[in-house]
Amino acid sequence: MTVDQIEAQMKANALNFVGLGALVKFELGGGSTLFIDGRTTPPTISREGGTPDTTLTISPENLAKLADGKLAPTLAFMTGKLKVSGSMGIALKLANMLED
């Protein structure tokens, strides 16, 4: 799945991130990034954003699996497929939103 496809999928499911209350950056490698701005209603998904509260580093393939529910966020973190910097609380809140 390409970054464009992941972005489109996340935009289609943006309402899942209502209540996040933070800016989350996904670093996808190769200079590609996606942002979820959960400070707005409805949340916005874009390629540009400000200073994030939390940064998640993950491959596009694994992000697609997370978004599809085929990879549990906790498992991704524990196996090193997902790295978190910044607020772990926000990362956990996002994980719960992805698992629902």
Side-chain angles (χ1 to χ4, degrees):
M1 185 175 272
T2 68
V3 175
D4 290 333
Q5 292 169 320
I6 295 167
E7 181 180 12
Q9 180 182 11
M10 291 179 81
K11 283 182 177 180
N13 297 313
L15 291 178
N16 291 346
F17 307 112
V18 169
L20 181 60
L23 180 63
V24 177
K25 177 182 179 182
F26 290 89
E27 290 186 349
L28 305 173
S32 295
T33 58
L34 284 176
F35 289 84
I36 298 175
D37 191 347
R39 303 170 297 185
T40 62
T41 301
T44 56
I45 312 298
S46 65
R47 300 248 179 140
E48 297 179 8
T51 303
D53 299 294
T54 299
T55 300
L56 306 175
T57 304
I58 189 168
S59 70
E61 297 80 17
N62 286 325
L63 180 56
K65 290 177 186 177
L66 278 177
D68 287 341
K70 295 178 181 173
L71 176 63
T74 305
L75 179 63
F77 179 75
M78 302 273 291
T79 58
K81 294 178 181 178
L82 171 66
K83 293 180 176 59
V84 178
S85 61
S87 173
M88 186 61 80
I90 292 169
L92 291 171
K93 191 173 186 180
L94 180 62
N96 287 334
M97 292 175 166
L98 287 170
E99 288 179 336
D100 288 342

